[in-house]
Amino acid sequence: MFDMDGTLLDLAFDDFIWNDCLPERHAQVHQCSLAQSQQTLFQFYQQHKHTLSWYSSAYWTTKVGVDTLQLQYEHQEKIKARSGCHELLEQLNAQGYRCWLLTNADQAGLQLKLENVALSPYFEVMISSEELGFAKEDVNFWKALQQRHAFDPVNAVFVDDTVAVLRGAEKFGITQLYSILQPSSSKPARIATELEYLALDHLTELLDYLEPDTQVTDAKTA
């Protein structure tokens, strides 16, 4: 099971849209200074972080008066896969692993990413949290997912760059959990020893933990 943004795809695109482009467009639309726009938007961001609204382009379009989905399409050439993404997925498919894509991106955002990076061929299941009505941080997401697509949490492996999401998965019963050392190429890599879960740098490192004799259940480093 894989997250999309910050795990398979470079989070630099989303950082650019929400931290640079939207404040500029918002300032233009509302005829205010960039600093005022940044202050307003970042306050909104903090209020809605880790909720379903946080990931909804439609919500933000209504909230801030800027077509946020259109803004993403204007810069879609910046959507890129992280290093090792396709190599890992190809190897997993070749080895017979069942791969699922589980993203908090809304359905419109998921479609945009799939139009720019060829992920679809690798996955038998692709789910947007918008479909299930809960963000992945919420254990109810996992309950709804299991009702729709039955799976055994004990045998599942989940990779996500967000600690709150990994905690939600762990609460549900998934124990083979991995994070990402550098979700965004526009920001420095995180310090592995300070992370709550074992973090992958190059995605293909995951293959080392999938060997039959590897105890991946003891994946926590802190």
Side-chain angles (χ1 to χ4, degrees), residues 201-219:
D201 186 10
H202 195 278
L203 281 167
T204 54
E205 292 174 6
L206 179 65
L207 296 167
D208 296 332
Y209 297 100
L210 298 180
E211 295 297 327
D213 58 348
T214 300
Q215 292 297 314
V216 294
T217 52
D218 297 326

Side-chain angles (χ1 to χ4, degrees), residues 7 19 38 47 57 67 73-74 114 119 125-126 135 137 143 159 183-184 193 205-206 215 220 222:
T7 298
N19 297 329
Q38 289 171 331
Q47 290 172 353
S57 298
D67 189 335
Y73 269 95
E74 290 175 17
L114 295 179
L119 294 177
V125 170
M126 292 189 292
E137 290 88 332
K143 293 177 180 178
V159 187
S184 172
T193 54
E205 292 174 6
L206 179 65
Q215 292 297 314
K220 281 195 174 182

Side-chain angles (χ1 to χ4, degrees), residues 93-112:
N93 281 186
Q95 294 176 26
Y97 285 96
R98 301 168 59 198
C99 294
W100 293 8
L101 182 68
L102 310 176
T103 179
N104 269 331
D106 60 12
Q107 290 169 289
L110 172 59
Q111 181 61 35
L112 167 64

